[in-house]
Amino acid sequence: MEGSVARASTKGQACATEPSLIVERVTKRFGAFVAVEDVSLVVGRGEFVCFLGPSGCGKTTLLRVIAGLDPQDEGRIIQDGRDVSALPPSARDFGIVFQSYALFPNMTVAANVGYGLVSQRKPKAEIDRRVRELLDLVGLADQAWKYPAQLSGGQQQRVALARALALDPGLLLLDEPLSALDALVRAHLREEIKSLQRRLGITTIMVTHDQDEALSTADRVVVMNRGRIEQVGTPEEVYRHPRTLFVAGFVGRMNSLPGIVLDSAHVQVGAVQLACRSAAERAAGDAVHICLRPEDLLPAAPAEIGTRLPATVRGVEYLGSIARAMLDAAGLPLVMEVQDSALRRLALRPGAAIEIVIPPDRVLLFDRAE
Amino acid sequence: MAVVAAARVRPIWSADDKLLFAVVAAAGLFFTVFLLFPLATLFLESFRDQRGAFVGFANYLRYFETPSLLDSLWNSVWTAVVTTVIVIPTAFIFAYAMTRSAVPGKALFRATALIPILAPSLLPALALIYVFGNQGMLRHLLFGHSIYGPLGIVVAQVFYTFPHAFLILATALSGADARLYEAAEALRASRLRVLRTVTLPMARYGMVSASFVVFTLVLTDFGIPKVIGGSFPVLATEVYKQVVGQQNFQMGAVVGVVLLLPAVIAFAADQWAQRRQVAVVGARAVPFVPKRRPLRDGPLFLFCVLVSALMIGLVGVAVWGSLVTFWPWNLTLTLRNYAFGTFISEGWGTWWTSVRLSFCTAVIGAPLIFVFAYAMERARKGAVVASFLRFLAIIPLAVPGLVLGIAYIFFFNAPANPLGFLYGTLTILVLNSIVHFYTVGHLASLTQLKSLDPEFESVSASLKVPILRTFARVILPMSLPVLLDVAVYLFVNAMTTVSAVVFLYAPGIMPASVAVVQMDEAGFASPAAAMATVILLTSAAVKGVQVAVDDWLSARTQAWKRR
């Protein structure tokens, strides 16, 4: 199963394995507000997909549509070859973890995890065995008789996860499962969720507004904005080759400046001409947004190829392992990120004059309406 | 990708959806039959003559041409205004002392302030008659004024409405964020300025709300003006006189509609105020803990002692009066006044009727209200119907008991009504009481349901657990204390109310509260006080049971709350 997951992660738009879930032209309205607009998506078996976007972009709505909790107005949902579009949640096959966990506070951890099993009229011994198994899986075997209020946030989250997995669902839905936790617990748990998902090979969709979370856990990231999908791709694709200006700005940090295409190898921004490889795909005179990742601005070294600009340091934001320098590069306001070691070497202090290099293959261009 | 439009989806209803919708539909039927139809009948009846012919506004014209009827409207309004003006500041200071000062004995003061809720409104009126009436021992203190009339009404109403105003104001004042006060102190605001700029604005809408509640209570109360009003006519007694005294049902309907109007206006204004009551206490608020300040706490303590003394004094006089042989000439103690059989034919049976009525109202009403609220809140299908029902559920608060009572006469006594068999039974008294006191129970249930994670049902659906099971295993156990609260509220109110049931009781099922009115009317003031005392003790006993059961419940089913 690990193999298939790894394989899925190397692919971009389409999934490599057989489809587990097909979302086909789904639209969901709340009154006049269109929460999800004509969205289509295919999720492969065993794949880990993240819906990423700002709040109100429709990512949670899409998740609830897939679960059948807020049925779509138009479009189809096909799960494992079965059209589930019209089915109520109870007739679909999924486990879900909510942001609030929704653990039953008046039941013990064991009772919470076994809640769905009891209704299946399974023998008690079998239920007990399965509950133990699930609690072992999330590392909470010794907490079975506690009530949710007696657990930490991270532990509650694991109970919710165990409960969602109890009926062996074909699809695991996670709605911002980590957003209520402290930063440290959060980083730890997202690794745990990822490794659990790999071990079980369960198709998983996680909704998040945290790009680190999405980039670090997902095989593929679905970036959403205003009810539509902006881009679907592996974390690297989404980060390195954003297809739209929105994705460029939302995933990671970005210097974004208005400019014009000069010729097949250069763009003009302010008084500066930048060498740019992707200018070849555009006509001269096109109005564009020129985007540069802060880490792609390099302190000048003899070997570097690219546009060299003199720059003055306006300010430095120290972040520990890296530092962010606010530059005035030949009149352009640019932010540069450098390693802590480079910071020491370059002695970047406000007022310092340096030279930077902008590699032509790292200059991204997006359409700009005039 | 296909260019054609995506297929529209018609979701299939799950068994849970069907069940919830069935409950919502049942709630709709309940409201239609027991609230909307009776009120509509009352309304129509006010446009008809004795024989049932449509006469347009003729009845209303006659109403406004009859000076005595018009007087009663004016009298009702001004006594209600005066009562409100007296009660609100008094209750505010009391609530302020309970929430924002460090006076000792808060629990005791609080309990004392709530005593009037447990007794019928007639009790303070009877007590006032003992003290200031024609045979009153302190009659001379009135300097020739009579307690029978507006004076007695206002004083008794102040006593009766005080706890209602206190509860609302205490709630408004209790949610204080200590950080606001620390900020004010850091900015060196004077204490008076803090009161004016922080405390009062916070309680502003609470005061508006309390004012309207008191106003409506006075306007629609029947017991007090009946007992102490003398020849001073008010709307509530006028309705009674028209319907029961003169059998003039049409004029009764008109007065009912007239009585409904100010109540509805006050209700609408209160809803407006409540919507503006923003949550001043955010999730991060730091609870305010009052510090000792003798200059403030001393006077407040004396004030609380005074108010409590008056409360206990008035109740004490009524109880004492019920225990003496012949007030005020022969003060030897006796239990003769409690032998109700000698004063009224149904005797102690009226108490038993009241207990049965209150018990049924509580035991049927509380689960009914809670289940209806649950279905309205959680139904995934028929959302439009559910939201309309949520609106209907708050209407009973605006409908005075008297109006509901007359409306029930018109509707259920109509020869064509297939539900006519209910008329004159205990069942209709129970149904009427449930509807009359529906709103408070509904709002309490709704608050409880909103505090539960809405995803409990989603999780259950994903685990393929039927909603009935989740309701029984999760929702209900977590809501038991609230359910008990609602049940006790219904019991106490059904026990003490006079207004609606006074029109609906029949021979053999006279409630104790009506017996108080009847005995007082027949000149048996002391037995009336005795019956009022019995009602008070019954309510208090039920409250006591609630406290005990609450303890037991929290030990048994709320273990999860402990960390």
Side-chain angles (χ1 to χ4, degrees):
Chain A
M1 202 38 90
E2 299 241 337
S4 78
V5 172
R7 197 145 38 82
S9 68
T10 59
K11 283 284 287 173
Q13 176 66 42
C15 59
T17 51
E18 61 176 304
S20 165
L21 181 78
I22 301 170
V23 175
E24 195 181 279
R25 306 206 57 191
V26 160
T27 296
K28 172 71 187 172
R29 297 182 197 88
F30 292 107
F33 175 71
V34 185
V36 173
E37 194 173 359
D38 202 5
V39 161
S40 298
L41 178 74
V42 178
V43 179
R45 191 169 308 286
E47 206 182 2
F48 195 133
V49 168
C50 270
F51 293 174
L52 175 66
S55 57
C57 73
K59 54 191 192 299
T60 292
T61 307
L62 183 56
L63 190 86
R64 294 178 69 89
V65 163
I66 292 169
L69 295 168
D70 291 324
Q72 71 275 24
D73 297 303
E74 286 159 25
R76 294 202 299 167
I77 307 281
I78 294 156
Q79 192 181 353
D80 294 321
R82 187 170 65 126
D83 188 340
V84 298
S85 305
L87 298 182
S90 51
R92 302 188 186 192
D93 175 27
F94 69 95
I96 190 163
V97 175
F98 290 101
Q99 186 175 1
S100 62
Y101 313 142
L103 294 177
F104 304 125
N106 60 331
M107 291 185 195
T108 60
V109 166
N112 262 287
V113 174
Y115 192 69
L117 298 166
V118 174
S119 277
Q120 306 279 304
R121 299 180 192 283
K122 298 231 166 83
K124 188 163 182 322
E126 196 187 324
I127 293 173
D128 288 347
R129 192 187 49 74
R130 177 74 179 138
V131 168
R132 246 196 327 276
E133 196 179 289
L134 286 160
L135 287 176
D136 273 334
L137 190 69
V138 295
L140 287 176
D142 51 339
Q143 310 285 324
W145 300 109
K146 288 195 176 169
Y147 287 102
Q150 296 163 324
L151 302 179
S152 70
Q155 288 172 322
Q156 292 183 22
Q157 206 271 348
R158 288 176 216 210
V159 176
L161 196 59
R163 184 178 63 181
L165 293 170
L167 297 187
D168 263 327
L171 177 63
L172 179 62
L173 303 176
L174 309 169
D175 183 8
E176 306 241 5
L178 302 170
S179 60
L181 300 170
D182 300 337
L184 269 178
V185 183
R186 204 165 162 160
H188 177 66
L189 264 175
R190 79 180 178 214
E191 272 165 47
E192 236 176 71
I193 289 179
K194 178 69 188 166
S195 78
L196 188 69
Q197 188 266 342
R198 274 170 193 262
R199 243 186 307 157
L200 299 175
I202 183 171
T203 312
T204 302
I205 298 175
M206 179 163 89
V207 164
T208 180
H209 63 266
D210 180 335
Q211 40 167 315
D212 291 347
E213 213 166 282
L215 295 180
S216 64
T217 51
D219 297 321
R220 281 193 305 153
V221 177
V222 176
V223 185
M224 293 185 68
N225 185 33
R226 296 182 182 184
R228 288 178 166 276
I229 292 180
E230 293 270 337
Q231 185 172 2
V232 181
T234 63
E236 296 95 308
E237 282 171 341
V238 169
Y239 186 80
R240 294 218 186 108
H241 308 288
R243 188 147 343 110
T244 65
L245 184 63
F246 173 81
V247 177
F250 187 76
V251 182
R253 282 173 173 269
M254 195 63 99
N255 290 297
S256 177
L257 301 161
I260 289 171
V261 178
L262 271 186
D263 54 42
S264 65
H266 294 90
V267 289
Q268 173 91 39
V269 47
V272 178
Q273 290 183 14
L274 290 180
C276 166
R277 194 162 294 167
S278 55
E281 296 153 22
R282 292 175 182 268
D286 272 5
V288 288
H289 284 286
I290 296 159
C291 290
L292 293 162
R293 292 278 181 209
E295 69 272 24
D296 288 337
L297 304 183
L298 305 171
E304 302 286 357
I305 304 162
T307 313
R308 284 169 186 263
L309 294 175
T312 314
V313 179
R314 290 274 176 243
V316 176
E317 200 179 9
Y318 187 63
L319 299 167
S321 66
I322 62 160
R324 216 168 268 149
M326 271 55 80
L327 304 179
D328 180 343
L332 305 179
L334 292 175
V335 177
M336 175 170 77
E337 267 175 23
V338 293
Q339 296 295 315
D340 188 37
S341 52
L343 179 75
R344 268 177 277 137
R345 185 161 40 79
L346 294 168
L348 291 181
R349 273 185 300 273
I354 57 167
E355 196 181 25
I356 58 168
V357 178
I358 300 172
D361 59 330
R362 302 306 313 143
V363 181
L364 304 170
L365 301 182
F366 297 99
D367 293 336
R368 175 164 64 94
E370 294 229 43
Chain B
M1 186 158 294
V3 192
V4 292
R8 288 200 64 83
V9 178
R10 294 222 157 273
I12 299 167
W13 288 32
S14 68
D16 292 348
D17 290 333
K18 288 175 192 158
L19 181 66
L20 282 181
F21 188 78
V23 177
V24 168
L29 192 69
F30 178 82
F31 282 127
T32 307
V33 174
F34 296 107
L35 180 67
L36 289 185
F37 280 176
L39 287 179
T41 316
L42 171 83
F43 207 67
L44 287 179
E45 212 61 38
S46 72
F47 293 103
R48 287 185 181 159
D49 66 11
Q50 305 268 14
R51 286 186 303 278
F54 183 77
V55 293
F57 283 94
N59 292 330
Y60 287 89
L61 282 178
R62 200 144 49 83
Y63 175 87
F64 285 106
E65 282 162 3
T66 315
S68 70
L69 286 172
L70 215 50
D71 280 350
S72 70
L73 173 61
W74 166 239
N75 288 342
S76 277
V77 170
W78 81 255
T79 48
V81 169
V82 171
T83 307
T84 309
V85 168
I86 297 171
V87 165
I88 297 301
T90 319
F92 181 84
I93 297 173
F94 200 88
Y96 184 86
M98 291 303 105
T99 53
R100 297 299 178 81
S101 78
V103 299
K106 278 186 190 169
L108 204 61
F109 283 133
R110 213 174 246 280
T112 314
L114 297 181
I115 289 177
I117 281 187
L118 301 177
S121 62
L122 304 132
L123 188 92
L126 290 168
L128 283 175
I129 289 175
Y130 277 130
V131 183
F132 300 108
N134 289 339
Q135 265 88 51
M137 21 180 70
L138 300 177
R139 183 162 40 113
H140 56 278
L141 287 182
L142 294 180
F143 300 110
H145 295 283
S146 172
I147 195 72
Y148 302 98
L151 182 64
I153 291 179
V154 168
V155 175
Q157 294 287 17
V158 166
F159 179 87
Y160 161 64
T161 56
F162 181 84
H164 297 271
F166 163 68
L167 280 178
I168 294 170
L169 291 171
T171 310
L173 281 172
S174 63
D177 189 343
R179 294 173 309 170
L180 284 178
Y181 288 88
E182 283 161 7
E185 212 168 314
L187 294 167
R188 304 197 187 159
S190 71
R191 298 215 158 122
L192 207 62
R193 182 141 178 257
V194 173
L195 181 74
R196 198 162 49 79
T197 55
V198 181
T199 309
L200 284 179
M202 218 182 274
R204 187 171 40 193
Y205 293 112
M207 280 203 258
V208 173
S209 204
S211 302
F212 286 120
V213 165
V214 169
F215 179 84
T216 312
L217 277 174
V218 176
L219 198 72
T220 59
D221 179 61
F222 169 72
I224 288 173
K226 181 83 186 66
V227 169
I228 207 168
S231 57
F232 182 76
V234 295
L235 275 180
T237 46
E238 212 51 46
V239 183
Y240 184 72
K241 213 191 290 174
Q242 293 291 338
V243 173
V244 175
Q246 305 173 6
Q247 296 286 309
N248 185 348
F249 286 91
Q250 272 55 45
M251 196 45 81
V254 170
V255 183
V257 172
V258 171
L259 191 55
L260 193 56
L261 277 181
V264 166
I265 292 167
F267 168 77
D270 180 38
Q271 292 291 312
W272 171 86
Q274 278 184 14
R275 221 161 298 146
R276 257 150 203 75
Q277 173 82 64
V278 283
V280 278
V281 185
R284 291 158 184 276
V286 181
F288 176 81
V289 180
K291 294 189 206 69
R292 257 174 211 295
R293 232 193 284 147
L295 274 181
R296 175 196 62 192
D297 296 348
L300 281 178
F301 180 72
L302 288 180
F303 177 83
C304 293
V305 169
L306 184 71
V307 169
S308 303
L310 285 174
M311 292 276 166
I312 294 174
L314 217 49
V315 173
V317 166
V319 176
W320 183 30
S322 77
L323 288 169
V324 301
T325 314
F326 188 54
W327 186 273
W329 318 111
N330 181 356
L331 294 181
T332 28
L333 296 183
T334 174
L335 281 176
R336 233 181 39 200
N337 295 323
Y338 285 81
F340 299 122
T342 49
F343 310 101
I344 196 163
S345 63
E346 288 179 41
W348 273 89
T350 59
W351 175 75
W352 181 234
T353 300
S354 266
V355 170
R356 280 190 300 155
L357 164 63
S358 307
F359 183 79
C360 292
T361 303
V363 168
I364 298 169
L368 188 85
I369 292 170
F370 186 76
V371 169
F372 281 175
Y374 179 77
M376 290 177 210
E377 189 62 19
R378 294 290 200 265
R380 283 166 18 103
K381 310 288 175 189
V384 182
V385 184
S387 68
F388 179 63
L389 289 183
R390 276 198 290 271
F391 166 72
L392 281 188
I394 52 171
I395 287 186
L397 199 61
V399 179
L402 286 170
V403 177
L404 196 64
I406 307 173
Y408 268 45
I409 298 185
F410 283 130
F411 181 63
F412 288 100
N413 203 22
N417 191 336
L419 291 170
F421 68 89
L422 289 174
Y423 195 72
T425 63
L426 190 68
T427 313
I428 202 169
L429 291 182
V430 171
L431 286 166
N432 175 73
S433 299
I434 292 174
V435 172
H436 186 183
F437 304 114
Y438 195 96
T439 307
V440 171
H442 172 74
L443 293 178
S445 303
L446 223 52
T447 309
Q448 164 64 14
L449 289 171
K450 282 192 195 299
S451 77
L452 299 179
D453 197 320
E455 310 296 9
F456 284 161
E457 284 80 4
S458 307
V459 165
S460 306
S462 80
L463 295 172
K464 311 195 187 323
V465 178
I467 202 161
L468 206 57
R469 185 178 154 77
T470 301
F471 182 80
R473 291 277 287 119
V474 182
I475 308 294
L476 203 55
M478 292 186 69
S479 307
L480 275 182
V482 172
L483 211 61
L484 185 67
D485 247 6
V486 172
V488 169
Y489 168 85
L490 289 175
F491 187 98
V492 168
N493 275 286
M495 197 75 206
T496 57
T497 188
V498 182
S499 55
V501 291
V502 80
F503 291 117
L504 293 174
Y505 77 92
I509 49 160
M510 180 196 281
S513 52
V514 175
V516 178
V517 176
Q518 297 286 341
M519 289 193 284
D520 178 71
E521 208 167 37
F524 303 126
S526 292
M531 187 61 96
T533 305
V534 170
I535 293 172
L536 172 67
L537 290 176
T538 311
S539 302
V542 168
K543 264 282 180 205
V545 169
Q546 182 194 6
V547 173
V549 172
D550 238 356
D551 285 351
W552 179 81
L553 267 184
S554 56
R556 286 291 300 271
T557 67
Q558 311 279 308
W560 49 272
K561 277 186 182 162
R562 283 196 294 272
R563 283 192 165 258

